[in-house]
Amino acid sequence: MFTGADATRRGNLFAAPFIAFALGTTGYGVYRLVDAPPESWTLVLTVIAGVIICGPFQMHVGRSPGFPFVGAAIAMLAIRPAEESPFLGVCVWTTGLLISQAVMRRSLLHALYATGIGSASAFVFVAIQTGLTSLGLWLLPSFLVATAVYYILLLLGEFAGQWSRSTLDRGFGISAISPSRLGLIILAVAITATLMNVVDASVIPWLEQDPDASLTPFVVLLTAAAFYMLAQRARYAGIEHRLSAVVDAAVELPRETGDGLAAALQDRARSIVQAGRVELRDRAPDRGEIGAGVSLGPGAGRYLIASRKIGGAFFSREDERALDTIAHVASEATRVQNEVDILERRANSDALTGLPNYGAFQDALVGANENRPYHEGIALLFMDLDDFKKLNDNFGHRAGDELLRAVAERLRGAVGGGDFVARVGGDEFVVIFSGLLSLEQAKDSADRVVETVSRPLSLEGHRVRPVVSAGLAFSGHRELDAQTLVEDADRTMLQVKRSRHLGGSAEGSTVSISSRRSTRTNDIVERAIRENRLALAFQPIVSIDQGRIWAFEALVRYTDPEIGPISPPSLVARAKSLGLMNGLTVQVITKALDAAEEFRRLEPGIQCMTVNLELGQISETELGPFIRDAARAHPDLSLCIELNERSLRSVTDELRRDAERMQGAGVTIALDDYGSDDSSVGALVHFPMNILKIDKSLISDLGDVRQREVVKALQGFGDNLGYTVVVEGVETRAMADVMAELGVRNAQGYYFGRPIPFAPMTERIRRWGARALIDL
């Protein structure tokens, strides 16, 4: 296996002949020009200047970003500066090429190497073009052949150099070239060379009305200037692309922390500077590498190092500046994040004990409640140190502070790894127990903690045994409001404290358990879903211009025998907290489609049933397959799923594809409640849908011309895109008339019918058919 030093040595050995050739060609040209001055020094200097000006123009001929690039300076040999000696013209050309490469490249040796390959290829170019012309071949074909051979030799030399320097870049060979790009470049350069000759020999004399007129230097400089302008245009495009990438990095990097920031920094650097390898290390860049200082944490700074430009090309000064920029961005992102972390720790921790404070406790409680599986319990232990004020009075505040620190330390050692401890008041502490299976387990954990805290300790030379009043609240299911646990545990703790002061409790620390019935409603909702007890109400969706019902919206309802009706919002919220939302939706869809079959039997024109879903439920891992199967099981019906507009703000590409699968299976998609607070136009154009349901808030005051114009515009928008537009909340005859005036053709609201159960709705259809309005 070759080491980096071996690769460098091989590369130097390969480059040496070309370096010598470049020096020899340039030296010979200078010698010949001094020994035998040319007919026109102006033309000689113009050709040299033209090659230098053409230098920045580099064309990419690879299939992917990076190497290889080729220039167009060979076009400057279309008009030879020394007509009597074509090969002397190559020497002049080589002088210009060497100066150009020395300016552009970061290393003189690299410039000499590139000049050597270019000059060797240029000799072949001149030999072929001169030979073909002498055989009577036209200029354009001769330049085409010579240019093709020139670029092939140039690329072969570059590839050979890559192979000699490293085994890691050998994927860049002939297969890396795009034949179409290379062919276009050969054609463009050959045509340019031909045009230069034509303009110099024919066009200039014709324009000057003088057969002997010659402006050859002008033609050379004009051509070089054209290539230079193209080079600047490409350069500005590259700068814009690089700047865009740096800006993207400046946006992305501050979002990352720790190892994620280091990985993102290296990925961005690799992409921006087109490096085969980017790493973070302690030493400065070596020869052939570029680097920038970066600080991603406390301690000594490091270097962001880029090496091996893709394809073996050399790093430019723009690469160095870009690398330095993103390294600085990463360093600043780290510094700002560290300062934010310090501020957050100060804001969320208690200065005396180092424990989290009340604010951090509230966040932890919400997280523990919402992020647990349904059947996993949590408990809250609320503790208060008895007679803490008396201890402060007797031994001083320093002793009190020492006691608080000791209690905090004992709490840290007593709780489990998944539990949370905080100081929430002067002498008040809380513990959140998680991962519980029963109230008994919670009580055992609380007793262990209280026992640990109550062990004797020495304060200011006095032996003290802390006495704790503690209240414990247990929750076996996710709560709608976790704050109720705090209230119950606090209330229970105060009862213990009050009982002790009244002499009704034994001395020593005590844990009392809350008797709250925190999960009764949750249990009722769970039972209703699991035992298929949910009921539905149906509200008609009508065609205003036809005066007929064409769809129903199915709305979930439940009335418990003991506590009475549970409001639909509460029912849905508890189903979510219990992890039973999918079960609720499956029951609603099944019953809604069964009802729709009966409605269609009574009135064949009513074929659509809509149900409300959460956006995430359409995914393949949730209810996507069930919904499609349900739609296929009822081929004569149209199942429509209504998705709330606000939920689409978190839509992903995968969910969009899931929605398209739904449509492919014949499921109709409706965007519900559009026009409510914070509605977004993006939902209308970025998510597949068939029906747009306009929220009733947009027709709350139809005397306002702005509301009328918005409704009219949305109807026109739907018509243009083929959406069915339904206006919700139409409650009176006057509102229906206004909708008709505005061109609205579909509506839903109390004016056409309130949501009613299956039996009354069946009776309505049996009696009145699909009529939108009925006589009561």
Side-chain angles (χ1 to χ4, degrees), residues 518-549:
S518 62
T519 60
R520 181 183 179 192
T521 305
N522 284 352
D523 291 339
I524 290 172
V525 171
E526 180 188 12
R527 186 169 60 250
I529 294 173
R530 295 194 185 282
E531 297 180 4
N532 199 31
R533 296 183 182 183
L534 299 179
L536 299 181
F538 302 91
Q539 185 174 33
I541 301 173
V542 306
S543 170
I544 296 177
D545 50 357
Q546 296 180 10
R548 299 185 65 80
I549 300 170

Side-chain angles (χ1 to χ4, degrees), residues 445-479:
S445 298
D447 287 339
R448 184 185 69 251
V449 168
V450 170
E451 180 185 358
T452 301
V453 170
S454 302
R455 292 171 184 166
L457 73 158
S458 177
L459 290 177
E460 298 292 322
H462 300 275
R463 186 174 177 80
V464 176
R465 177 187 292 272
V467 177
V468 175
S469 295
L472 180 68
F474 174 76
S475 168
H477 306 298
R478 280 198 295 263
E479 302 290 334

Side-chain angles (χ1 to χ4, degrees), residues 491-730:
R491 183 171 55 249
T492 305
M493 181 272 295
L494 291 174
Q495 290 172 354
V496 172
K497 201 174 189 71
R498 190 177 302 113
S499 175
R500 177 177 286 117
H501 288 165
L502 295 176
S505 177
E507 293 186 2
S509 300
T510 306
V511 177
S512 179
I513 303 173
S514 169
S515 60
R516 68 191 292 268
R517 296 189 300 165
S518 62
T519 60
R520 181 183 179 192
T521 305
N522 284 352
D523 291 339
I524 290 172
V525 171
E526 180 188 12
R527 186 169 60 250
I529 294 173
R530 295 194 185 282
E531 297 180 4
N532 199 31
R533 296 183 182 183
L534 299 179
L536 299 181
F538 302 91
Q539 185 174 33
I541 301 173
V542 306
S543 170
I544 296 177
D545 50 357
Q546 296 180 10
R548 299 185 65 80
I549 300 170
W550 59 271
F552 284 101
E553 180 177 357
L555 303 165
V556 67
R557 299 288 188 266
Y558 183 67
T559 300
D560 183 71
E562 296 182 19
I563 65 174
I566 298 177
S567 70
S570 176
L571 181 64
V572 171
R574 290 181 183 276
K576 289 181 185 178
S577 70
L578 296 171
L580 298 176
M581 193 61 194
N582 282 353
L584 180 149
T585 303
V586 167
Q587 193 174 151
V588 169
I589 291 176
T590 302
K591 293 184 176 181
L593 289 174
D594 289 343
E597 289 285 6
E598 179 62 18
F599 296 158
R600 192 187 68 84
R601 187 186 67 80
L602 297 174
E603 181 57 54
I606 305 176
Q607 299 180 351
C608 181
M609 179 64 69
T610 77
V611 294
N612 292 277
L613 266 73
E614 295 287 314
L615 174 62
Q617 291 182 294
I618 70 172
S619 71
E620 290 299 292
T621 57
E622 298 287 335
L623 295 182
F626 166 79
I627 296 170
R628 294 196 298 272
D629 291 343
R632 295 189 186 102
H634 298 270
D636 297 326
L637 297 175
S638 174
L639 172 62
C640 174
I641 56 175
E642 297 191 15
L643 303 175
N644 188 281
E645 187 270 337
R646 287 185 294 274
S647 68
L648 297 189
R649 295 170 197 166
S650 59
V651 69
T652 64
D653 291 339
E654 184 61 34
L655 286 173
R656 289 190 184 92
R657 288 190 288 270
D658 291 333
E660 291 168 353
R661 291 190 193 100
M662 290 288 175
Q663 291 178 321
V667 178
T668 302
I669 298 177
L671 181 64
D672 194 18
D673 296 335
Y674 186 79
S676 57
D677 291 342
D678 300 327
S679 287
S680 169
V681 177
L684 298 178
V685 296
H686 294 150
F687 194 82
M689 65 175 178
N690 309 95
I691 298 175
L692 175 63
K693 299 191 75 174
I694 299 176
D695 188 72
K696 62 183 180 181
S697 63
L698 281 184
I699 62 169
S700 60
D701 182 11
L702 289 173
D704 187 340
V705 67
R706 293 172 297 182
Q707 286 196 359
R708 297 162 67 99
E709 289 301 319
V710 168
V711 172
K712 186 176 180 180
L714 288 173
Q715 179 65 56
F717 174 82
D719 291 343
N720 291 333
L721 294 183
Y723 298 157
T724 300
V725 178
V726 179
V727 177
E728 299 178 301
V730 178

Side-chain angles (χ1 to χ4, degrees), residues 64-178:
S64 58
F67 184 80
F69 284 88
V70 295
I74 192 63
M76 296 299 100
L77 280 176
I79 298 177
R80 300 184 185 107
E83 188 64 36
E84 69 282 358
S85 176
F87 294 107
L88 178 58
V90 176
C91 296
V92 172
W93 181 88
T94 301
T95 303
L97 184 63
L98 177 58
I99 297 172
S100 173
Q101 293 295 320
V103 171
M104 292 192 301
R105 296 181 182 265
R106 300 170 63 247
S107 168
L108 180 59
L109 290 178
H110 292 163
L112 287 168
Y113 166 68
T115 302
I117 293 179
S119 59
S121 303
F123 275 111
V124 177
F125 170 87
V126 170
I128 293 176
Q129 199 277 328
T130 302
L132 292 176
T133 303
S134 65
L135 294 175
L137 193 65
W138 292 347
L139 275 178
L140 180 58
S142 67
F143 276 123
L144 274 173
V145 174
T147 304
V149 173
Y150 168 80
Y151 281 126
I152 290 172
L153 293 176
L154 189 69
L155 291 170
L156 287 174
E158 289 286 359
F159 289 139
Q162 292 308 305
W163 295 334
S164 69
R165 284 195 292 270
S166 172
T167 60
L168 296 176
D169 288 325
R170 292 191 177 183
F172 281 86
I174 301 301
S175 61
I177 297 176
S178 170

Side-chain angles (χ1 to χ4, degrees), residues 154-438:
L154 189 69
L155 291 170
L156 287 174
E158 289 286 359
F159 289 139
Q162 292 308 305
W163 295 334
S164 69
R165 284 195 292 270
S166 172
T167 60
L168 296 176
D169 288 325
R170 292 191 177 183
F172 281 86
I174 301 301
S175 61
I177 297 176
S178 170
S180 59
R181 289 186 179 183
L182 181 59
L184 285 174
I185 291 170
I186 291 171
L187 180 62
V189 171
I191 291 175
T192 301
T194 303
L195 288 175
M196 289 175 67
N197 278 271
V198 171
V199 169
D200 183 51
S202 303
V203 176
I204 294 296
W206 176 75
L207 290 174
E208 296 295 322
Q209 297 296 311
D210 181 1
D212 298 325
S214 176
L215 295 176
T216 305
F218 169 76
V219 175
V220 172
L221 285 179
L222 183 64
T223 305
F227 281 124
Y228 183 77
M229 287 188 291
L230 292 174
Q232 292 307 302
R233 181 178 178 182
R235 178 173 177 266
Y236 292 141
I239 290 174
E240 183 178 0
H241 176 74
R242 191 186 299 270
L243 180 60
S244 176
V246 170
V247 170
D248 289 342
V251 172
E252 177 194 4
L253 295 179
R255 299 174 180 171
E256 303 289 345
T257 57
D259 293 339
L261 175 58
L265 173 62
Q266 292 175 75
D267 288 342
R268 283 290 181 177
R270 188 179 298 110
S271 172
I272 291 173
V273 304
Q274 293 291 305
R277 179 180 177 185
V278 173
E279 61 181 331
L280 289 167
R281 70 185 189 209
D282 297 329
R283 70 177 190 277
D286 297 327
R287 182 178 176 182
E289 299 176 331
I290 58 174
V294 64
S295 176
L296 300 183
R302 306 182 72 189
Y303 291 93
L304 177 66
I305 305 295
S307 55
R308 295 199 314 275
K309 183 90 167 177
I310 289 179
F314 301 103
F315 291 111
S316 65
R317 292 178 177 85
E318 285 79 6
D319 291 329
E320 290 184 284
R321 286 193 287 268
L323 196 69
D324 185 67
T325 299
I326 61 173
H328 176 72
V329 169
S331 298
E332 285 299 295
T334 301
R335 181 185 64 80
V336 171
Q337 186 60 52
N338 288 339
E339 293 179 356
V340 170
D341 291 343
I342 292 172
L343 291 175
E344 285 184 348
R345 284 195 296 271
R346 290 177 180 173
N348 294 320
S349 62
D350 171 52
L352 177 64
T353 64
L355 290 177
N357 59 16
Y358 184 79
F361 155 66
Q362 288 290 340
D363 292 339
L365 180 61
V366 171
N369 179 57
E370 293 183 353
N371 298 325
R372 56 172 165 158
Y374 167 63
H375 286 294
E376 181 180 290
I378 63 172
L380 178 64
L381 179 65
F382 204 112
M383 295 178 293
D384 180 273
L385 295 174
D386 288 356
D387 298 325
F388 181 71
K389 183 178 183 302
K390 185 182 296 184
L391 183 143
N392 269 332
D393 293 340
N394 292 337
F395 301 113
H397 288 283
R398 188 171 67 177
D401 291 346
E402 187 177 343
L403 175 61
L404 293 174
R405 284 192 289 266
V407 169
E409 191 61 33
R410 289 180 174 184
L411 286 172
R412 287 192 187 96
V415 299
D419 300 331
F420 181 87
V421 180
R423 181 189 177 199
V424 296
D427 58 353
E428 295 176 338
F429 297 84
V430 294
V431 179
I432 302 173
F433 299 108
S434 57
L436 302 175
L437 300 177
S438 65

